[in-house]
Amino acid sequence: MIRLANETDAEAILEIKKGIILSEETTKFFISSPDELEDDSENEREKIRTSREKGNLYAVYEADGEVVGFMVFFRYDMSRLHHAGAMGMGIKEGYTNQGAGTRLIEYLLDWAEQQDGLEKICLGVVSGNQRALNLYTRMGFVEEGRQKNQVKYEDGTYADDVLMAYYI
């Protein structure tokens, strides 16, 4: 089930982020390093409050009675950019490859079509995250550019930041 996030979801969302960033298999999928991981549930609650007040989208995916995924979309504030916004998402390990990401994006796209003047959904994805790249491409996002070696990991290796967009 997908629903709008509420402030009580903050801890579960932080746990998902921690699970991704601290996992050896998925840590390179986020730009934040494990040392930069925010563990501030009040800050996360504020993000949820702010998104609602500004008319943005902050949704969660529930399975087995718990929050196992999240999706955020923030529309750009500046008038020349207000026709677009940026999205991000995360799925708890153990619930990946089961359609949660697809359903969250479908939810976002349905929501976006109802938003006045919204024309474009933007995202950045680390080049090594092939699972996400495949999902976004399958859902209709197109690559618009690539920032080469934009992400430098602690071990000295690099990844590109792949810039993608969906046109509503």
Side-chain angles (χ1 to χ4, degrees):
M1 172 180 93
I2 298 173
R3 62 172 174 76
L4 294 178
N6 58 57
E7 294 176 42
T8 60
D9 296 319
E11 288 80 14
I13 292 166
L14 285 174
E15 286 304 311
I16 294 167
K17 289 179 182 181
K18 282 185 212 175
I20 295 168
I21 294 173
L22 298 178
S23 165
E24 285 187 36
E25 290 90 41
T26 57
T27 187
K28 290 188 173 187
F29 294 170
F30 268 43
I31 293 176
S32 301
S33 74
D35 295 339
E36 297 166 328
L37 180 63
E38 287 186 23
D39 193 11
D40 183 354
S41 55
E42 182 53 41
N43 186 39
E44 200 65 36
R45 281 191 288 277
E46 180 63 26
K47 289 178 187 177
I48 294 168
R49 268 193 303 272
T50 301
S51 73
R52 195 172 310 128
E53 291 166 4
K54 289 188 169 190
N56 294 318
L57 180 65
Y58 205 137
V60 295
Y61 186 91
E62 286 185 330
D64 304 322
E66 69 173 306
V67 172
V68 298
F70 68 91
M71 150 97 47
V72 295
F73 174 83
F74 295 99
R75 197 159 179 177
Y76 300 132
D77 289 328
M78 297 174 71
S79 63
R80 291 182 177 181
L81 301 178
H82 196 64
H83 66 287
M87 66 149 288
M89 63 187 283
I91 309 292
K92 183 177 182 176
E93 197 57 47
Y95 291 88
T96 59
N97 293 321
Q98 296 180 23
T102 298
R103 288 193 281 286
L104 280 167
I105 292 174
E106 288 171 344
Y107 186 88
L108 170 64
L109 298 180
D110 289 343
W111 174 88
E113 288 183 11
Q114 307 304 313
Q115 305 308 304
D116 188 39
L118 183 59
E119 300 173 17
K120 183 179 180 183
I121 299 170
C122 305
L123 63 87
V125 61
V126 177
S127 57
N129 191 349
Q130 195 59 52
R131 187 168 57 193
L133 287 164
N134 292 342
L135 170 64
Y136 297 136
T137 300
R138 190 174 84 257
M139 298 301 296
F141 285 78
V142 294
E143 183 174 327
E144 291 193 316
R146 188 177 284 253
Q147 294 177 300
K148 299 280 188 186
N149 294 338
Q150 182 71 9
V151 182
K152 184 175 182 179
Y153 298 110
E154 294 77 10
D155 64 4
T157 60
Y158 294 89
D160 299 345
D161 187 11
V162 181
L163 307 175
M164 301 185 81
Y166 180 92
Y167 291 87
I168 299 165

